[in-house]
Amino acid sequence: DEVTSCVVEQTDEPAGGSPSRLSDANKVALDQLVRAISQQGKIPPANSNIPANKPCVSIDTFKTYCEKGGLSQSDEPEALRKAFKRSTDKLLAASLIGKWQEYVWLIE
């Protein structure tokens, strides 16, 4: 009988994938976080959970930018809430953003 196995190969791509592999909604969310941080980002108080000198915005600010930036095709609050949660979860899983308490930042 033939025996087969898997081989693990190292790549330069982040564990969750690259931004080019994101859905359109997730790209909108990522773009809106970039915009929010460039316009309103602040360095939070020093702590061990957020990288030093990393500009952040609040989760509420990020959500507002996403809602105004067209994250969801619907204006219904529940649809917007779900779209934001899905996109945030995906970006976190892809290691493209970080989140701690009310702070959100970009991982580079």
Side-chain angles (χ1 to χ4, degrees):
D1 291 335
E2 184 176 330
V3 177
T4 61
S5 181
C6 295
V7 176
V8 177
E9 293 183 10
Q10 183 175 352
T11 69
D12 293 332
E13 188 172 297
S18 70
S20 63
R21 293 188 181 173
L22 295 173
S23 71
D24 288 344
N26 295 332
K27 287 179 186 176
V28 167
L30 188 59
D31 290 344
Q32 292 306 317
L33 181 57
V34 169
R35 178 173 283 136
I37 288 172
S38 72
Q39 293 176 357
Q40 297 188 34
K42 304 275 188 245
I43 305 297
N47 67 73
S48 61
N49 297 295
I50 299 173
N53 299 313
K54 182 57 87 170
C56 300
V57 293
S58 71
I59 194 76
D60 291 336
T61 297
F62 177 32
K63 184 176 182 183
T64 298
Y65 272 75
C66 285
E67 289 173 354
K68 291 181 179 182
L71 178 63
S72 175
Q73 299 299 317
S74 172
D75 289 334
E76 294 296 321
E78 185 64 12
L80 289 167
R81 186 192 66 75
K82 286 180 180 180
F84 181 73
K85 178 159 178 26
R86 279 191 303 269
S87 290
T88 302
D89 289 349
K90 176 64 177 182
L91 295 174
L92 285 165
S95 298
L96 294 170
I97 68 171
K99 180 179 177 292
W100 182 72
Q101 293 187 348
E102 77 269 20
Y103 297 106
V104 184
W105 64 92
L106 294 166
I107 296 177
E108 300 173 56

